[in-house]
Amino acid sequence: MSATIFSKIIAREIPADIVFEDEVCLAFRDIAPKAPVHVLLIPRQPLAKLGDASAGDQAMLGHLLVKAGEIARQQGCGDAFRVVINSGAGAGQEVFHLHLHILGGRDLGWPPG
Ligand code: 5GP
């Protein structure tokens, strides 16, 4: 997988507003937020997109989902938040390093479009 802007955030080569990190993942505020809370949660180990995941990624993916809920609560979303993963350019993915969008802090419409 080629390096992306998110690899540079992990390496601290470019700044980001980091709200959480552990040995598996890193979470930081989206530079162009779509809601009052808009955090991106990424694995340190790069995986270009969810559609490329395999059995060996199960533990990491489960970890990301558990942390997404914790981060949403820590950011004040209460019990209402949304997790979005765009997988592939046709789904709106622009950065090809897997990331979960954690969105909250306002009413979220459905369908998302
Ligand atoms: P995607 O469209 O790939 O699902 O989402 C990529 C997200 O990364 C977008 O919401 C975009 O605003 C965010 N983003 C792109 N470049 C940067 C950056 O340099 N810093 C931060 N914090 N977010 C970024």
Side-chain angles (χ1 to χ4, degrees), residues 26-86:
L26 187 74
F28 52 92
R29 293 188 201 287
D30 196 291
I31 203 166
K34 309 300 186 294
V37 175
H38 188 172
V39 169
L40 301 174
L41 177 59
I42 66 174
R44 291 184 185 276
Q45 185 72 33
L47 174 69
K49 60 184 191 296
L50 184 65
D52 293 341
S54 60
D57 297 311
Q58 281 187 23
M60 176 270 285
L61 292 169
H63 185 86
L64 291 180
L65 285 176
V66 171
K67 291 301 168 189
E70 292 178 7
I71 291 165
R73 281 190 291 278
Q74 180 250 326
Q75 291 295 312
C77 293
D79 66 349
F81 64 93
R82 182 171 293 162
V83 174
V84 173
I85 301 174
N86 298 320

Side-chain angles (χ1 to χ4, degrees), residues 5-6 28-32 40 86 92-95 99 101:
I5 194 98
F6 292 171
F28 52 92
R29 293 188 201 287
D30 196 291
I31 203 166
L40 301 174
N86 298 320
Q93 186 175 6
E94 293 179 347
V95 181
H99 50 282
H101 295 259

